[in-house]
Amino acid sequence: MTPIALAIACLLTITFCYVAVCAGSPFGTCRKCNGFGFATTTDRKGRPKRGKHCRRCKGRGKRVRVGRWVFNRAQRIYREGTR
């Protein structure tokens, strides 16, 4: 197998795996708050305490994956275009 064909096969495999992950689990943990829903801070003694509400995930700890967001947007555009 040539290196170009091998690279294309690897990219297709990675793409199909990501599509399967987005279809099976459309929500992933928030990267900013690590799924807690809030930022962790420390007090003056160094003990961890609950911080502010995470604005990125709105305190839920889960966010829509990028691939699922693109799929949802494409579906919405298609639906609105065919009405």
Side-chain angles (χ1 to χ4, degrees):
M1 189 176 251
T2 64
I4 294 174
L6 184 63
I8 291 171
C10 288
L11 286 175
L12 283 174
T13 303
I14 291 170
T15 302
F16 287 134
C17 288
Y18 184 68
V19 166
V21 167
C22 287
S25 175
F27 296 100
T29 54
C30 180
R31 291 181 304 226
K32 187 170 183 174
C33 66
N34 292 325
F36 287 121
F38 55 88
T40 54
T41 59
T42 56
D43 60 2
R44 293 158 120 200
K45 294 181 182 179
R47 292 181 297 206
K49 69 174 192 172
R50 185 182 178 114
K52 289 186 176 182
H53 197 71
C54 181
R55 294 181 351 190
R56 195 178 274 182
C57 66
K58 297 182 179 107
R60 294 186 198 115
K62 296 284 183 182
R63 294 189 62 204
V64 176
R65 294 185 194 273
V66 174
R68 187 61 183 211
W69 182 86
V70 170
F71 176 76
N72 290 345
R73 184 61 53 113
Q75 286 289 93
R76 186 177 306 128
I77 290 170
Y78 176 77
R79 238 183 286 122
E80 290 174 359
T82 56
R83 285 186 190 176

